[in-house]
Amino acid sequence: MCGIFGIVGHAEASNLTYLGLHALQHRGQESAGIVASDGMALRAHRQMGLVADIFDVPVLAGLPGQAAIGHVRYSTAGGSALKNAQPLFVQYAGGQCAIAHNGNLVNAAELKQQLEADGAIFQSDADTEVILHLLARSKQPTFEQKIVEALRKVTGAYSLLVLTENKLVAVRDPHGIRPLVLGRMKEGAYVLASESTALDLIEAEIVRELEPGELLVVENGLMRTSKPFAEPPRQARCIFEHVYFARPDSTLFGSNVYEVRKELGRQLAKEQPAPGADLVIAVPDSGVPAAIGFSQASGIPYDVGLIRSHYVGRTFIEPQQSIRHFGVKLKLSAVRQVLKGKRVVVVDDSIVRGTTSRKIVKMIKAAGAVEVHLRISSPPTKWPCYYGIDTPSRQELIAATHTLEEIATYVTADSLGYISQEGLGRAVGDPERGSFCTACFSGKYLIGDFGEERSEPSKLTA
């Protein structure tokens, strides 16, 4: 759950990287960083917090040069600490190098153990540092060959940006799990970003997505590309990017995210109708497009029944222990005038532990709704993700430990319905789901062996 941005060939590289990271802030709010190159040396600034709070005019002025990469982080491997903030920046025998990574390596612990046994000293807990150690130890003659050799030893999901004093390298893993988009500015600068929305902000033209397994190098104003990795039997693009993670205004894996989410809502209405309901509302913001689609397909009017506060970050000060039960109310508030006396369909993108859904349903009923029918625009999340999205262990996933009826009872909904995996596939334009990773719904992991997660979890009490 991270966002990466890079640019090469522009006099204001750091300023544009700042803007790009701002557009990718939804992909990570724990830390952010920028590393810039002036052709002679790299300079870095990394800090915990949000992009707008970390970077100001003096900080960006201290990052001169025509090339830069940036990163916004939400930790999935390694804790939430400054030492794990990216881009990671090192000096090694070949010069200076910085790396920004979106994804997760499933064999990082094994590789780290081998490297430490061979004398390596790690400065962070991030799996990304493994790549740097492998790169630094490579005996290959060119920098690109060192990267290829290092990446052939890792397994998992990675979209990478690697910056040296004089070149920018971008790589996408052979399965294409995490997105990476190439763009170009009018002035000729090349831009790379996790999502197209970052290119829109800086008015860069979207050229294309990098292909799975592609390695792209920009050096001396010229771009070259290759596919040096063995091609796997199938792609495994992350379906959850479309369900929840990406911004609705992005074009991802060839489809507009907003339109896909509306289609998810339409499919959901066909599969899980709510006859007799008076209105459809969304759990904002990610549930809004699906709720609109549900309304369009069902003919039930859409209205705004929940308002989200945009000023509650991941951390906030709670004046007293006694008010912690407010929880969701800090982020969402119900519109009583809309909900009172109504039979309401509530559309959300997913249920993970179920605790938030329970609070939301209770809030809507407390505002006067006479019935609440919860509809989810993804299938039940039963399995953890190992490829870069922070989902809890299987023991904590309510759909892995409870039946549909038990979940409905726990969240206090009058009815509960999920979209099917087949409906999800139709909505993303891939009915057989042959080019997407759906492991969080199906338990079918394409990369890595997670046998301990395949056993049935013990029953939890709701």
Side-chain angles (χ1 to χ4, degrees), residues 309-373:
S309 169
H310 291 263
Y311 305 101
V312 179
R314 290 193 54 80
T315 58
F316 53 86
I317 298 170
E318 295 167 324
Q320 297 177 16
Q321 182 77 18
S322 60
I323 72 158
R324 292 195 175 187
H325 70 278
F326 283 129
V328 171
K329 289 186 178 180
L330 287 166
K331 296 181 180 179
L332 294 172
S333 59
V335 185
R336 186 174 295 272
Q337 292 82 352
V338 171
L339 301 171
K340 188 175 181 180
K342 300 294 176 60
R343 294 163 294 181
V344 182
V345 178
V346 183
V347 180
D348 203 357
D349 58 81
S350 59
I351 299 177
V352 182
R353 293 179 177 89
T355 51
T356 299
S357 298
R358 178 184 172 98
K359 291 173 183 175
I360 290 171
V361 172
K362 286 189 170 186
M363 180 191 299
I364 293 168
K365 287 187 173 180
V370 294
E371 292 178 12
V372 177
H373 302 278

Side-chain angles (χ1 to χ4, degrees), residues 426-439:
R426 286 192 292 271
V428 299
D430 185 29
E432 302 299 321
R433 305 183 307 283
S435 65
F436 282 91
C437 174
T438 59

Side-chain angles (χ1 to χ4, degrees), residues 45-379:
H45 185 80
R46 302 178 303 155
Q47 199 169 310
M48 304 302 292
L50 302 176
V51 174
D53 297 329
I54 294 170
F55 297 99
D56 56 21
V57 172
V59 169
L60 291 169
L63 298 170
Q66 294 200 348
I69 62 173
H71 187 273
V72 288
R73 185 169 192 266
Y74 183 86
S75 59
T76 54
S80 177
L82 183 58
K83 67 178 181 178
N84 295 323
Q86 295 190 31
L88 298 182
F89 174 36
V90 296
Q91 179 96 33
Y92 75 112
Q96 294 181 316
C97 172
I99 185 169
H101 173 202
N102 175 213
N104 222 50
L105 307 180
V106 300
N107 66 337
E110 175 189 343
L111 290 171
K112 184 177 181 180
Q113 190 174 34
Q114 294 171 4
L115 288 162
E116 287 179 326
D118 199 30
I121 299 172
F122 282 77
Q123 302 294 320
S124 76
D125 300 321
D127 56 350
T128 312
E129 192 176 353
V130 168
I131 299 172
L132 284 175
H133 280 276
L134 293 172
L135 190 157
R137 287 165 179 253
S138 173
K139 304 300 182 185
Q140 294 294 325
T142 71
F143 187 73
E144 294 97 293
Q145 289 171 325
K146 290 178 188 293
I147 291 177
V148 171
E149 183 177 67
L151 293 179
R152 281 177 176 160
K153 295 177 181 177
V154 306
T155 304
Y158 55 84
S159 285
L160 296 174
L161 295 176
V162 188
L163 183 67
T164 71
E165 297 93 332
N166 54 22
K167 70 180 71 175
L168 175 63
V169 182
V171 198
R172 194 171 171 210
D173 74 72
H175 287 87
I177 298 174
R178 297 276 149 239
L180 192 58
V181 184
L182 170 68
R184 195 156 193 199
M185 301 193 70
K186 292 177 182 177
E187 301 85 348
Y190 289 98
V191 188
L192 291 130
S194 292
E195 293 183 37
S196 62
T197 184
L199 306 186
D200 294 336
L201 178 62
I202 63 169
E203 299 181 344
E205 177 190 1
I206 299 168
V207 177
R208 61 178 175 86
E209 289 190 29
L210 263 67
E211 295 180 25
E214 183 177 359
L215 184 145
L216 182 148
V217 182
V218 182
E219 185 177 15
N220 298 323
L222 300 175
M223 183 185 78
R224 59 182 183 274
T225 183
S226 62
K227 296 191 74 175
F229 307 104
E231 191 169 329
R234 50 163 285 192
Q235 293 181 19
R237 299 174 293 177
C238 175
I239 198 93
F240 217 74
E241 292 272 1
H242 271 312
V243 169
Y244 164 74
F245 203 41
R247 250 177 57 163
D249 54 336
S250 285
T251 297
L252 196 73
F253 306 141
S255 301
N256 173 258
V257 175
Y258 180 78
E259 291 300 328
V260 167
R261 288 182 187 163
K262 277 208 301 185
E263 185 57 31
L264 286 169
R266 296 186 191 105
Q267 291 288 338
L268 181 60
K270 293 175 186 176
E271 295 181 0
Q272 301 290 343
D278 299 309
L279 78 156
V280 177
I281 69 168
V283 177
D285 289 324
S286 55
V288 171
I292 293 171
F294 192 102
S295 171
Q296 291 174 344
S298 65
I300 303 170
Y302 171 80
D303 211 335
V304 178
L306 292 170
I307 304 295
R308 185 172 81 87
S309 169
H310 291 263
Y311 305 101
V312 179
R314 290 193 54 80
T315 58
F316 53 86
I317 298 170
E318 295 167 324
Q320 297 177 16
Q321 182 77 18
S322 60
I323 72 158
R324 292 195 175 187
H325 70 278
F326 283 129
V328 171
K329 289 186 178 180
L330 287 166
K331 296 181 180 179
L332 294 172
S333 59
V335 185
R336 186 174 295 272
Q337 292 82 352
V338 171
L339 301 171
K340 188 175 181 180
K342 300 294 176 60
R343 294 163 294 181
V344 182
V345 178
V346 183
V347 180
D348 203 357
D349 58 81
S350 59
I351 299 177
V352 182
R353 293 179 177 89
T355 51
T356 299
S357 298
R358 178 184 172 98
K359 291 173 183 175
I360 290 171
V361 172
K362 286 189 170 186
M363 180 191 299
I364 293 168
K365 287 187 173 180
V370 294
E371 292 178 12
V372 177
H373 302 278
L374 187 58
R375 297 294 181 265
I376 307 300
S377 62
S378 67

